[in-house]
Amino acid sequence: MLLKIQNVLSQEQVKHAKQMLLEADWTDGNVTAGYQSSQSKNNLQLPEGSATANQLGEMILQALGQSNMFMSAALPLKIFPPLFNCYQGGQSFGTHVDNAIRQVPGMPVKVRTDLSMTVFFCDPDEYDGGELVIEDTYGSHKVKLPAGDMVLYPSTSLHRVTPVTRGRRISSFFWLQSMVASDEKRSILYDMDMAIQSLRAQVQDSPEIVQLTGVYHNLLRQWAQT
């Protein structure tokens, strides 16, 4: 399931974060690349564990915790701390698949990458190129979202970032381990949860809505790994 989530960050948060990122010291993006990715990765990255990365990462995680759509779609168990990258001057990232397991730096914690996420800090008209192209069984999907929006997609997907030929593309990228490893099962649960929430917004609770809610939780109980 590929899901675009609007306004994860407010415009005030975007403005504050963007100013910090523009003033930050960047390094070669290959510092976090595996062997395969390093062959096609050409970008800049904020050093992991830097004060700016920690502060902005915490801001993003707090915002996601308040997003009902994100929580319903991702069912997060563990989240890798957000990273930050910048593409400019023709930089790009060729087709690759994300590493299956990520070790949280400085901690004995490993995260299985079920879902990948990108939060955009620049509006589409600020740069040319820089589309995130995600491939799945339905074809290729080009993603270039307004600042503050996020895309969530399965980490099993082949994806790439096209060359940025004008301006800068600044974003945050990271991964999570879901309580439900199967993308198909997560999609079923998400569709059911959204339908239940929509029904509740239209009518008062009824025996049917209560029954559907019970079905949702019974499925989650069977499929969740904690």
Side-chain angles (χ1 to χ4, degrees):
M1 176 174 61
L2 187 156
L3 187 65
K4 300 173 185 177
I5 305 178
Q6 297 179 332
N7 302 317
V8 169
L9 300 178
S10 68
Q11 290 306 301
E12 290 77 14
Q13 288 175 314
V14 168
K15 182 178 180 181
H16 172 69
K18 192 173 177 182
Q19 185 61 41
M20 291 182 64
L21 291 168
L22 288 173
E23 295 173 354
D25 294 324
W26 297 83
T27 188
D28 188 338
N30 273 321
V31 294
T32 58
Y35 174 78
Q36 175 201 6
S37 296
S38 67
Q39 306 306 301
S40 58
K41 185 177 184 180
N42 178 23
N43 64 9
L44 301 175
Q45 191 165 309
L46 205 61
E48 291 183 76
S50 68
T52 298
N54 289 339
Q55 181 177 336
L56 297 183
E58 184 60 29
M59 179 187 73
I60 291 172
L61 294 180
Q62 288 182 3
L64 290 177
Q66 299 172 8
S67 170
N68 290 333
M69 182 178 292
F70 167 77
M71 298 300 291
S72 178
L75 297 170
L77 178 62
K78 293 186 285 186
I79 302 182
F80 192 90
L83 302 174
F84 299 83
N85 59 21
C86 173
Y87 293 83
Q88 59 186 5
Q91 291 179 323
S92 65
F93 198 161
T95 301
H96 65 285
V97 64
D98 291 333
N99 291 349
I101 305 294
R102 288 276 178 175
Q103 175 103 29
V104 178
M107 299 181 65
V109 177
K110 293 182 179 179
V111 177
R112 185 187 66 230
T113 58
D114 296 326
L115 288 164
S116 299
M117 293 156 284
T118 297
V119 178
F120 292 81
F121 286 101
C122 297
D123 285 315
D125 61 1
E126 295 184 62
Y127 58 97
D128 292 336
E131 291 89 357
L132 172 62
V133 183
I134 302 166
E135 300 178 13
D136 61 20
T137 55
Y138 298 100
S140 296
H141 309 272
K142 291 185 178 181
V143 181
K144 190 173 181 178
L145 301 180
D149 288 7
M150 183 183 84
V151 62
L152 179 76
Y153 60 97
S155 299
T156 53
S157 306
L158 288 171
H159 57 283
R160 65 185 185 276
V161 177
T162 64
V164 173
T165 57
R166 177 187 65 87
R168 288 179 174 177
R169 175 195 189 271
I170 301 176
S171 63
S172 176
F173 66 103
F174 51 112
W175 307 269
L176 69 79
Q177 179 174 333
S178 176
M179 289 186 288
V180 177
S182 165
D183 181 58
E184 181 180 13
K185 291 176 180 177
R186 282 196 309 272
S187 296
I188 292 171
L189 290 168
Y190 173 74
D191 288 342
M192 182 175 291
D193 191 21
M194 291 296 101
I196 292 170
Q197 291 187 40
S198 178
L199 286 172
R200 282 209 173 106
Q202 298 176 47
V203 298
Q204 292 183 346
D205 267 351
S206 66
E208 290 79 12
I209 293 178
V210 173
Q211 186 176 24
L212 282 173
T213 303
V215 172
Y216 171 87
H217 284 286
N218 286 334
L219 287 174
L220 181 58
R221 189 174 289 113
Q222 288 188 49
W223 295 340
Q225 303 168 0
T226 61

